[in-house]
């Protein structure tokens, strides 16, 4: 057992876990942040994506101990109170989800994509960048639309700040 | 995953010392190979020693005609590096094609090389560019480093601290990715050294891991052009055959990816 101290969605937390604990299990089972999903055991589906120190990573492929001292943002940390993050709002408005299982990971990856590419996003880039996120329902079409829509909204939001 | 003890190394020396103390230690870098394998209980190290926060193992240096990428540098950093994009654009491009963005943020060059997956991308670049692997004990040429499927010259407890690449006159990489994993169904790296030599390496193709491709090297030495490979045939013997493609299919892919790599190199 080890004590892992990290910051999750802006709050400092300290959790006692076995060394073999994956970050995703620390989030889901110790912190009850069940928005982060587990969709595979091969590190391929992306349902578990969270931001660690600003980078979108698969929380099923990182030991909890590796995140000690890091700043973690999960899907629960995106909205400001009742106001959805522009990426969440765009997924809702564009019908970017059906069962919703892949959605938290999609959104966390998508926010990272917009951060990296800013205004230079086009459909081909979004499709290529979402290679690590698998959706079994939507056929991706409305997900891509949502990400492009959100990229525009995030630019406007940034300009207003 | 079986129980294990996690250690975060603070330096290369600390990592080596901690490794020696464990009963069955393993280094952990990006974890993009080791953790899935541990989850499947195909590996059960008593101790994992995390290299990913060892500052002396992260970063990229360009001096004169050499690009040095330190052992725990993530693929993303290599892909984004202005210095690599300028000195060896094919290498930055290769790194940008590994897996997906989340894999590139965590996965490292040292982890990829130590693992030596027969379909991994970096081995092709090392062999074609004539790179040198630096460890905490010695320097190993690419030729001597790769020893077949998932096998390298590394000794137990030896740490890849850096890889140095001579800057070529021209280089290009093209891969046909497996549509699910993005690993190379076949990838070919072509390089023309500043001394005028031509070196070509293919990954994902051979049953014994990354290999040089002599027929393509000879054709390109005579004429550095994609069309120079039109009449080249690659023997299918010794090539991989699986549900993704037969040996003949891969032999043809080596040629076609070789042509695309030359076009990319310009
Ligand atoms: C979904 C997915 C897609 C992928 N697609 C590709 C792809 O298209 N192309 C490709 O090339 N790879 C691909 N990979 C593999 C990826 O590049 C891994 O990052 C890489 O193979 C291992 O690097 P790592 O840093 O994650 O190492 P780890 O998983 O941490 O370690 C791997 C092995 O290397 C050892 N090791 C690690 N660092 C060192 C060191 N510095 N010195 C000595 N030994 C060390 C470890 O002990 C372990 O045995 C993919 C992986 C995933 C999960
Ligand atoms: S649960 Fe992490 S990639 Fe599938
Ligand atoms: S919405 Fe069901 S998996 Fe994507």
């Amino acid at each position: 057992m080890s004590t892992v101290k990290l910051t999750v969605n802006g709050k400092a937390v300290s959790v006692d876990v076995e060394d073999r604990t994956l970050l995703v299990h620390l989030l889901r089972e110790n912190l009850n942040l069940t928005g982060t999903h587990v969709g595979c055991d091969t590190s391929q589906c992306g349902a578990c994506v969270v931001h660690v120190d600003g980078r979108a990573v698969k929380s099923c492929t990182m030991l909890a101990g590796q995140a000690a001292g890091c700043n973690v943002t999960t899907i629960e940390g995106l909205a400001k109170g009742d106001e959805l993050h522009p990426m969440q709002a765009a997924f809702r408005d564009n019908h970017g989800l059906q069962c919703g299982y892949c959605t938290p990971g999609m959104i966390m990856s998508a926010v990272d994509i917009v951060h990296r590419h800013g205004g230079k996003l086009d459909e081909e880039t979004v499709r290529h960048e979402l290679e690590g996120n698998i959706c079994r329902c939507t056929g991706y079409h409305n997900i891509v639309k949502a990400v492009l829509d959100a990229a525009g909204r995030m630019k406007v939001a940034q300009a207003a700040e | 995953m079986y129980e294990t003890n996690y250690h975060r190394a603070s330096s290369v020396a600390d990592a080596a010392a901690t490794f020696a103390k464990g009963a069955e230690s393993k280094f952990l870098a990006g974890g993009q190979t080791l953790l899935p394998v541990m989850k499947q209980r195909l590996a059960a190290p008593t101790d994992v020693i995390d290299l990913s926060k060892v500052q002396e193992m992260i970063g990229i240096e360009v001096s004169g005609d050499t690009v040095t990428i330190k052992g725990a540098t993530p693929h993303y950093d290599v892909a984004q590096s202005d210095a690599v994009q300028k000195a060896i654009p094919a290498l930055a491009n290769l790194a940008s094609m590994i897996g997906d963005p989340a894999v590139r943020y965590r996965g490292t060059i040292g982890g990829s090389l130590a693992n030596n997956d027969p379909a991994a991308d970096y081995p092709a670049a090392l062999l074609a560019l004539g790179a040198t692997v630096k460890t905490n004990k010695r320097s190993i040429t690419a030729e001597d480093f790769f020893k077949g499927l998932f096998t390298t010259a590394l000794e137990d407890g030896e740490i890849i601290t850096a890889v140095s690449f001579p800057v070529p006159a021209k280089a290009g990489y093209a891969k046909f990715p497996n549509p699910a994993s993005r690993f190379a169904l076949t990838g070919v790296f072509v390089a023309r050294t500043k001394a005028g030599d031509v070196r070509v390496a293919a990954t994902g193709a051979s049953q014994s891991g990354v290999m040089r491709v002599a027929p393509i090297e000879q054709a390109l030495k005579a004429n550095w052009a994609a069309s120079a490979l039109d009449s080249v045939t690659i023997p299918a013997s010794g090539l991989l055959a699986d549900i993704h493609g037969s040996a003949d299919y891969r032999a043809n892919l080596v040629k076609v990816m070789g042509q695309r790599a030359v076009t990319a190199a310009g």
Side-chain angles (χ1 to χ4, degrees):
Chain A
M1 293 286 278
S2 300
T3 304
V4 174
K5 292 188 166 113
L6 69 171
T7 303
V8 179
N9 298 330
K11 252 185 26 211
V13 294
S14 171
V15 194
D16 291 325
V17 290
E18 286 187 324
D19 283 16
R20 61 175 159 176
T21 307
L22 297 167
L23 176 59
V24 68
H25 293 133
L26 177 151
L27 295 171
R28 288 179 56 86
E29 287 161 25
N30 296 84
L31 302 180
N32 285 326
L33 293 170
T34 53
T36 302
H37 292 166
V38 176
C40 73
D41 57 8
T42 52
S43 304
Q44 280 180 310
C45 77
C48 62
V49 169
V50 301
H51 295 183
V52 175
D53 289 342
R55 293 182 163 195
V57 303
K58 295 170 181 170
S59 60
C60 75
T61 313
M62 189 165 176
L63 293 175
Q66 291 184 284
C70 294
N71 215 322
V72 176
T73 305
T74 70
I75 187 73
E76 289 90 347
L78 281 190
K80 289 188 188 137
D82 284 342
E83 189 196 331
L84 292 180
H85 183 279
M87 188 63 73
Q88 293 173 304
F91 266 68
R92 184 174 66 181
D93 295 347
N94 290 280
H95 194 54
L97 61 150
Q98 288 178 25
C99 80
Y101 201 85
C102 71
T103 313
M106 282 286 175
I107 288 180
M108 297 313 286
S109 291
V111 169
D112 179 68
I113 292 169
V114 175
H115 284 161
R116 275 187 285 119
H117 290 273
K120 282 182 291 186
L121 264 187
D122 55 24
E123 181 185 335
E124 195 190 332
T125 311
V126 173
R127 287 186 185 275
H128 176 65
E129 291 273 359
L130 283 177
E131 260 158 14
N133 292 81
I134 292 174
C135 176
R136 286 299 193 208
C137 302
T138 62
Y140 301 98
H141 208 67
N142 288 346
I143 291 177
V144 175
K145 251 168 64 183
V147 177
L148 290 170
D149 182 7
R153 299 185 197 199
M154 285 166 72
K155 219 165 65 186
V156 173
Q158 213 177 21
E161 267 171 22
Chain B
M1 192 184 295
Y2 290 110
E3 274 187 53
T4 192
N5 298 302
Y6 171 79
H7 312 268
R8 184 181 285 189
S10 56
S11 66
V12 173
D14 176 41
T18 312
F19 187 99
K21 278 189 225 144
E24 263 188 63
S25 301
K26 254 197 176 300
F27 295 116
L28 172 69
Q32 302 301 296
T33 295
L34 183 58
L35 291 176
V37 171
M38 286 173 68
K39 283 197 271 180
Q40 287 166 36
R41 296 190 164 182
L42 296 173
T46 55
D47 297 82
V48 288
I49 294 105
D50 188 357
L51 303 172
S52 67
K53 294 259 166 42
V54 175
Q55 286 314 312
E56 61 183 308
M57 284 181 64
I58 302 168
I60 296 162
E61 283 163 11
V62 180
S63 70
D65 268 347
T66 308
V67 172
T68 302
I69 300 176
K70 297 196 184 155
T73 307
H75 310 327
Y76 175 77
D77 293 8
V78 176
Q80 289 303 113
S81 159
D82 289 338
V84 179
Q85 282 175 9
K86 210 165 138 241
I88 317 180
L91 188 60
N93 182 40
L94 174 147
S96 79
M97 287 195 265
I98 298 175
D100 57 57
V103 167
R104 293 194 287 274
Y105 273 143
R106 299 283 312 156
T108 67
I109 188 167
S112 176
L113 296 174
N115 190 48
N116 193 18
D117 189 300
D121 295 293
Y122 270 126
L126 266 76
L127 199 55
L129 291 169
T132 305
V133 177
K134 306 272 168 74
T135 77
N136 56 335
K137 296 186 177 152
R138 58 192 165 137
S139 290
I140 312 169
T141 62
E143 261 85 6
D144 292 338
F145 183 82
F146 301 110
K147 298 280 187 200
L149 304 192
F150 299 104
T151 315
T152 69
L154 288 176
E155 289 161 11
D156 199 37
E158 193 169 3
I159 302 171
I160 298 174
T161 53
V163 185
S164 60
F165 296 90
V167 174
K170 278 180 184 225
Y173 182 63
K175 89 162 153 175
F176 192 86
N178 175 314
S181 75
R182 322 311 297 172
F183 270 101
L185 204 53
T186 286
V188 176
F189 200 105
V190 299
R192 196 166 78 194
T193 67
K194 291 202 166 159
D197 197 15
V198 173
R199 296 170 59 103
V200 176
T203 186
S206 165
Q207 288 170 12
S208 37
V210 66
M211 63 167 185
R212 297 270 296 271
V213 193
I216 296 186
E217 291 181 348
Q218 278 148 20
L220 291 180
K221 239 177 254 177
N223 175 16
W224 180 269
S227 60
L229 305 187
D230 286 344
S231 54
V232 167
T233 22
I234 308 294
S237 68
L239 296 195
L240 285 164
D242 54 27
I243 54 164
H244 305 298
S246 65
D248 285 331
Y249 182 73
R250 279 195 168 80
N252 190 54
L253 270 184
V254 171
K255 170 171 153 175
V256 175
M257 290 304 115
Q259 291 180 309
R260 288 189 193 169
V262 176
T263 305

